[in-house]
Amino acid sequence: MSDELRTGRLALSRRAMLRGFGAAAVAGMAYRPWAAAWADPIFRNYPFQLGIAAGDPAPDGFVIWTRLAPEPLALDHGMPALAVPVAWEVAEDEGFRTIAAKGTGMARPELGHAVHVEVAGLKPGRPYWYRFIAGRERSAAGRAVTTPALGARLDKLRFAVAGCQHYEQGLFTAHRHLSREEIDFVFCYGDYIYEGRGDRLRQTRDGPVEPVRRHEGGEIYSIIDYRRRYAQYKMDPDLQAAHAAAPWMVVYDDHEIDNNWADELDQDGTPPAIFKLRRQMALQAYYEHMPLRAASLPVGASMQLYRQIRFGDLIDVNLLDTRQYRSDQPCGDRWTPDCPGASRADAQMLGTQQEAWLVDRLGTSKALWKTLAQQVMVMDLDRNPEPGATYNLDSWGGYRTPRARLLSGIEDRRIENVVVLTGDEHQNYAGELHLDGRSPKPRALATEFVATSITSGGDGVDQRPEMAWILGNNGQLKFNNSQRGYLICDVNRERWQTDFRVMDKVSAPGGTVSTRMKLAVAAGDPKLVAA
C-alpha cells in the first residue's frame, strides 16, 4: 500500500473512530493490529440506544436484533465505516445463570451496524432471555419464546396486535401497557414509522393542532433519512419495553415507504424507476431495524416478506404482503360510489405467487385456527350513505376480484376457523366476512378483527359521528371504536377471544388502559359473540 493511500485511510478511520468510539480507543492504534482495535472498541456513548428485539420464533429458536448507534441521529450514527463484532447470549433464566446458546455476530456498516442473529438449537415451547455485548458495553435483556414442536398439541396462546404508531400524534404509552400483558408474541401489522416531515402544526377534523412531538427533518427519501427516522422512533423507551417483552412478527404497510404506495407507484406520480430507488432504500432500512431472518434481506427494491409461522396444532399464522405486488388503487384512490375499477378482472392484491402460496397454506393446514395476519381491511364496508356502495379503495374493498377469489377459496374448500387480523384504519372494528357484505349469507366465511392505532389519529373518541351510520348499515360489522390501543388475543381449542384494549389519552403522559370490548368466536362457528 502506498504511503499516500495509507495516510488517507488512517486519517478517515481516525476521524470516524474519534466520533464513534472515543479517543481512548484510537490512542495507540498505530501500535496494534487493525483487527484487534475493531474487536475491542470503547464507545464514547452507549451503543445500544435503539434497544433490542426478537422475532419470527421457531421450535428451535428465533431472531435476535440490535443496532449499534452511539449517536443515533448523527449522519453516521456515531460509528466508523468498519465492521464491529457483537457478542450475544441466550439464557434459560432471566438472571443468565444457565446459558443455552452464545456466539458473535457482526455489526456491518453496509447495514447501518445492525445485527441479526438467527438463534437455533433451543428447546421448543418455552421462554428464553437474550442480550448483546459490544466492547465493554452490555445491552438490556429481552424475552423471547420458542414455538412448540411442529404439529405438537397446544392448548392455548396469548398474543397482541399493534401498529400505526405516528410519532408526532401521540406518546407510545400503549406500548408500555402492552409490555406488561404476559404474551407469547406481538403481531405488528405495519406503519411502524411515518415518512412525513416534521410540522409545527398538523391538520385535524377540529382544525390545526400542535403535534405532541416532532419528527426530525423533512420527508424521508434517502437511506440516511430512513435510518434517522427509525432511530427517532426506536429511542422511545415504551416501544423498547414492548420489544423486550416478547418476540415480534412484523410486516410493513405503506408509511414505511410512502403513503398508499402500490408496487412501483407512489401517490405523487414519481416515475416508477425513481420510486423504486426510494423503495429500495426504505426496504433496506426496514430490514435493518426489524428482527427478520436473512430470507427477508432485500434484493434491490424487492423483499420476501410473506411467510408462515406455526404454533403447534393450534394456529398457523400466515403473514402477508399487501403492498409489494398489488395493482394501483382504482378511481385514483378517491372514494366514489360504485367505483367501476373496484371490480377490475385483472386487479391484484397479493400477486399470483403469494396468492397461490396462501391458498396452499390454508388448504393444507392441520392447525385448528388459520390466521391471515395482514395490513388492510377485508370487510367490504359501505362507507357513505349516498346511493351505491362507497368502499375504502386502498383496502380489499377496492379489489373485488382478488377478494372474491380469496373468500371463494375458503368457501369452496370448506376451510374452517379462519381469522383475519388487520390494522391501517386507526379504529377498532370486528366483523364477519362474506363474499358480498351487502348480501350476507346466514353463515359467514371467516372473522376479522381490526386493531386501532397506537397513536395515529391522536386521542380519539369512543365512536366517530359518521360511524353510527356505517355500523347501522353494514350487517357484517359488529363493533367499532375510535380510541387508541391494541388487541389481546386469547386463543384455545374451544374459542378465539379478542379484547380491545384502549387508551384514555396519548396526547400527554400518564395514559391509562382499559378493555372497551371483548368478542369471541367459537371453534367451528364464525359468528361473533360478546365474551
Side-chain angles (χ1 to χ4, degrees):
M1 181 184 297
S2 69
D3 289 341
E4 182 181 0
L5 181 57
R6 187 188 307 276
T7 301
R9 287 190 175 181
L10 269 173
L12 177 60
S13 299
R14 286 176 63 85
R15 283 196 300 270
M17 282 193 164
L18 279 166
R19 288 195 304 270
F21 292 160
V26 181
M29 190 167 287
Y31 308 103
R32 294 163 53 185
W34 284 102
W38 303 341
D40 189 25
I42 299 174
F43 298 95
R44 181 183 297 275
N45 299 311
Y46 186 58
F48 298 110
Q49 294 188 44
L50 306 188
I52 56 172
D56 280 19
D60 68 338
F62 34 75
V63 180
I64 57 175
W65 169 93
T66 193
R67 180 179 169 228
L68 302 182
E71 298 176 28
L73 298 181
L75 294 181
D76 60 1
H77 49 278
M79 292 292 292
L82 303 168
V84 178
V86 179
W88 56 270
E89 298 175 327
V90 175
E92 294 185 357
D93 60 286
E94 196 169 359
F96 285 81
R97 290 178 293 272
T98 303
I99 302 299
K102 62 182 180 178
T104 301
M106 295 300 293
R108 299 185 182 278
E110 295 91 341
L111 289 175
H113 292 96
V115 180
H116 298 76
V117 178
E118 298 186 19
V119 182
L122 305 181
K123 301 172 185 176
R126 60 149 296 162
Y128 288 90
W129 287 262
Y130 63 94
R131 64 190 179 190
F132 296 91
I133 302 166
R136 303 175 188 178
E137 305 281 1
R138 178 182 289 169
S139 75
R143 172 182 173 273
V145 183
T146 53
T147 63
L150 294 178
R153 181 180 175 89
L154 180 63
D155 290 327
K156 61 181 181 180
L157 192 68
R158 178 178 170 88
F159 64 93
V161 182
C164 290
Q165 49 192 43
H166 198 305
Y167 186 85
E168 293 192 325
Q169 295 180 11
L171 304 176
F172 291 167
T173 318
H175 276 308
R176 181 69 64 171
H177 291 292
L178 187 156
S179 73
R180 300 168 180 149
E181 293 279 5
E182 297 184 2
I183 51 178
D184 296 300
F185 69 89
V186 176
F187 164 54
C188 179
Y189 52 76
D191 290 347
Y192 191 97
I193 63 167
Y194 281 71
E195 80 284 12
R197 68 188 181 194
D199 283 328
R200 188 180 66 83
L201 297 175
R202 71 180 182 91
Q203 298 301 318
T204 72
R205 293 165 178 258
D206 299 320
V209 299
E210 288 193 19
V212 176
R213 47 190 179 173
R214 292 183 64 179
H215 283 147
E216 291 282 340
E219 184 163 347
I220 53 179
Y221 293 93
S222 72
I223 185 68
I224 298 297
D225 293 340
Y226 281 101
R227 284 173 177 165
R228 295 180 74 229
R229 186 60 54 85
Y230 277 103
Q232 186 173 16
Y233 279 58
K234 280 187 164 289
M235 283 191 290
D236 185 282
D238 296 330
L239 177 56
Q240 289 191 17
H243 271 297
W248 283 40
M249 292 148 50
V250 300
V251 292
Y252 51 64
D253 193 18
D254 54 340
H255 289 289
E256 287 87 351
I257 301 178
D258 186 44
N259 182 49
N260 284 11
W261 71 278
D263 192 14
E264 298 181 357
L265 304 172
D266 71 357
Q267 62 178 347
D268 303 316
T270 305
I274 301 301
F275 178 65
K276 284 180 70 175
L277 295 176
R278 182 182 186 181
R279 196 175 96 175
Q280 177 176 336
M281 289 181 281
L283 291 181
Q284 176 176 334
Y286 181 76
Y287 177 82
E288 289 175 354
H289 292 87
M290 294 296 122
L292 289 165
R293 296 182 181 273
S296 294
L297 183 68
V299 177
S302 299
M303 182 179 196
Q304 177 62 48
L305 191 68
Y306 65 87
R307 60 207 189 276
Q308 183 183 73
I309 299 179
R310 302 168 65 183
F311 291 85
D313 67 346
L314 187 63
I315 304 180
D316 283 349
V317 180
N318 300 288
L319 296 137
L320 305 183
D321 180 347
T322 62
R323 287 288 168 192
Q324 190 173 185
Y325 313 105
R326 71 155 77 180
S327 50
D328 193 14
Q329 292 92 342
C331 296
D333 201 12
R334 295 185 298 274
W335 295 14
T336 56
D338 293 330
C339 164
S343 298
R344 277 179 48 189
D346 62 345
Q348 293 286 344
M349 175 62 85
L350 302 176
T352 55
Q353 184 172 333
Q354 182 181 193
E355 187 175 306
W357 172 89
L358 176 60
V359 169
D360 177 69
R361 292 301 186 276
L362 291 175
T364 59
S365 174
K366 303 298 182 184
L368 178 62
W369 299 95
K370 296 88 175 169
T371 302
L372 277 61
Q374 48 102 61
Q375 298 84 4
V376 292
M377 185 185 286
V378 179
M379 280 184 286
D380 53 345
L381 300 181
D382 184 356
R383 308 282 182 135
N384 196 305
E386 296 180 23
T390 300
Y391 302 119
N392 176 355
L393 300 177
D394 190 51
S395 75
W396 285 82
Y399 296 76
R400 306 289 294 175
T401 301
R403 181 184 183 277
R405 284 198 304 268
L406 173 65
L407 295 179
S408 294
I410 293 172
E411 181 178 46
D412 294 344
R413 302 182 74 166
R414 299 182 180 180
I415 301 171
E416 296 284 344
N417 303 322
V418 176
V419 175
V420 180
L421 300 174
T422 303
D424 181 61
E425 298 275 346
H426 305 172
Q427 297 189 70
N428 286 310
Y429 294 85
E432 299 163 2
L433 294 177
H434 299 267
L435 280 174
D436 186 347
R438 291 173 296 178
S439 302
K441 295 182 179 179
R443 180 183 173 86
L445 299 173
T447 310
E448 183 171 24
F449 296 107
V450 181
T452 188
S453 61
I454 291 291
T455 59
S456 301
D459 286 333
V461 295
D462 185 67
Q463 189 177 85
R464 295 178 185 173
E466 70 273 15
M467 289 307 303
W469 183 90
I470 294 174
L471 187 59
N473 288 271
N474 287 270
Q476 60 192 310
L477 181 61
K478 307 302 179 183
F479 171 69
N480 167 256
N481 164 268
S482 187
Q483 292 169 277
R484 309 284 73 81
Y486 53 90
L487 307 183
I488 293 293
C489 300
D490 280 293
V491 185
N492 58 39
R493 307 190 77 84
E494 287 74 43
R495 71 174 189 172
W496 177 307
Q497 177 177 313
T498 295
D499 295 355
F500 291 83
R501 306 279 277 160
V502 299
M503 300 292 299
D504 65 333
K505 61 182 177 181
V506 296
S507 58
T512 61
V513 70
S514 62
T515 300
R516 174 62 180 80
M517 178 64 72
K518 296 182 179 182
L519 293 171
V521 181
D525 184 356
K527 183 179 181 180
L528 272 170
V529 297

